[in-house]
Amino acid sequence: MNNTLGYIKKDTLVHDLSGASKLIAFILLSIIVMTSFDTRFLIFVMVLSLITMKVAKIKWEEISFLVKIVAVFSIINLLAIYIFEPEYGVKLYGTRTVLWEGFGRYSLTAEQLFYELNVGLKYFSTIPLAIIFILTTDPSEFSSSLNRIGLSYKISYAVALALRYIPDIQASYYDIRSASQARGIEMSGKASFVKRVKASSNIVLPLIFDSLERIETISQAMELRRFGKNKERTWYRAKPFKKADIFVIIGVILIVGMGVGLFFVNGGRFFNPFYPR
């Protein structure tokens, strides 16, 4: 099973888009999703993201590891919100519909559940966008696109290195994990959750040293090749903007405009179904 999160070359409409247009779409959609609390809009963006993943032919085995991690941290965050602010939804929406009478301030209300639903939708609207961007964007082509729209080639190259380094870190993690298991350290599902967490935490230090060694090697190689000496550089891979890129950017701007328009319709960032406006 391939759980490496990085660019996977495929022949799809999404892969054929310019890296710059995908970055613009990712940033704009992420900003409006994180700003809006309109449930209808968040569901719309989430469905659109899932459809785009289908068009890009992104398979479950390619993203299952990341999705599971995001799901765990999302649940932890939602539980933390309830523990520290169990009545926050009541304050936001101005009503209190008790579904379960608990003890003290820990009662379960429809308003709190609705608020936490929106928070969860935010996670599962933005994460697919990030997955689409990472798995369909060639780092070299993306850095050349950034340089073409005016960003310094040094920064553009740094972004490309960061994107290329994601699968390398994952590969190093699995190598160190396999070596640890070969030494008798149980890290599979047979061990308890606490033991697995403890064993995984012991991988962090070797992973850091391995990463520092890689960084040193890359830095020396770039310095020997006099990287950064000239004001400009040529690119082995460069992809010009096409009609599809223009259509995507226009479509994203319209979606962002729809999200902003809902602010005025709702009288704010929050969609409130609990009482008529």
Side-chain angles (χ1 to χ4, degrees), residues 174-215:
Y174 287 120
D175 289 341
I176 298 171
R177 180 179 176 179
S178 299
S180 299
Q181 288 179 315
R183 293 183 178 92
I185 301 175
E186 186 60 61
M187 299 179 67
S188 66
K190 298 178 182 178
S192 65
F193 178 74
V194 175
K195 289 184 178 180
R196 279 183 286 165
V197 171
K198 185 178 179 180
S200 297
S201 63
N202 292 333
I203 297 178
V204 174
L205 193 59
L207 188 61
I208 291 175
F209 283 118
D210 180 72
S211 301
L212 292 175
E213 184 179 353
R214 289 171 182 264
I215 292 171

Side-chain angles (χ1 to χ4, degrees), residues 28-47:
L28 291 179
L29 289 175
S30 296
I31 290 174
I32 190 62
V33 165
M34 298 310 295
T35 304
S36 174
F37 275 87
D38 191 303
T39 313
R40 302 161 300 182
F41 181 73
L42 296 177
I43 292 175
F44 169 73
V45 175
M46 182 180 68
V47 172

Side-chain angles (χ1 to χ4, degrees), residues 135-248:
L135 267 64
T136 65
T137 306
D138 181 89
S140 298
E141 182 272 320
F142 174 57
S143 57
S144 67
S145 299
L146 290 179
N147 184 226
R148 176 166 297 188
I149 64 176
L151 198 64
S152 167
Y153 77 84
K154 297 178 183 178
I155 299 176
S156 303
Y157 204 81
V159 173
L161 287 176
L163 290 175
R164 288 186 180 279
Y165 200 49
I166 292 174
D168 289 342
I169 292 177
Q170 287 184 285
S172 297
Y173 171 82
Y174 287 120
D175 289 341
I176 298 171
R177 180 179 176 179
S178 299
S180 299
Q181 288 179 315
R183 293 183 178 92
I185 301 175
E186 186 60 61
M187 299 179 67
S188 66
K190 298 178 182 178
S192 65
F193 178 74
V194 175
K195 289 184 178 180
R196 279 183 286 165
V197 171
K198 185 178 179 180
S200 297
S201 63
N202 292 333
I203 297 178
V204 174
L205 193 59
L207 188 61
I208 291 175
F209 283 118
D210 180 72
S211 301
L212 292 175
E213 184 179 353
R214 289 171 182 264
I215 292 171
E216 182 67 22
T217 302
I218 294 173
S219 299
Q220 290 178 357
M222 294 174 68
E223 187 175 348
L224 289 172
R225 288 167 175 77
R226 306 186 66 147
F227 179 83
K229 178 179 180 295
N230 299 321
K231 294 182 179 180
E232 297 180 355
R233 65 160 291 166
T234 57
W235 297 92
Y236 180 72
R237 293 189 179 182
K239 185 180 291 185
F241 265 50
K242 301 178 181 177
K243 289 183 179 179
D245 295 290
I246 303 299
F247 289 148
V248 167

Side-chain angles (χ1 to χ4, degrees), residues 30-43 45 77-78 81 88-89 92-93 111-123 125 258-260 262-263 266 268-274 277:
S30 296
I31 290 174
I32 190 62
V33 165
M34 298 310 295
T35 304
S36 174
F37 275 87
D38 191 303
T39 313
R40 302 161 300 182
F41 181 73
L42 296 177
I43 292 175
V45 175
N77 185 57
L78 293 175
I81 291 174
Y88 189 65
L92 287 176
Y93 299 112
E111 290 80 3
Q112 183 69 18
L113 282 178
F114 187 69
Y115 168 72
E116 299 207 14
L117 170 66
N118 288 325
V119 174
L121 285 174
K122 285 177 178 289
Y123 296 138
S125 296
M258 180 176 66
V260 173
L262 288 172
F263 293 170
N266 298 328
R269 297 188 300 133
F270 296 87
F271 166 63
N272 190 347
F274 295 100
R277 293 187 175 276

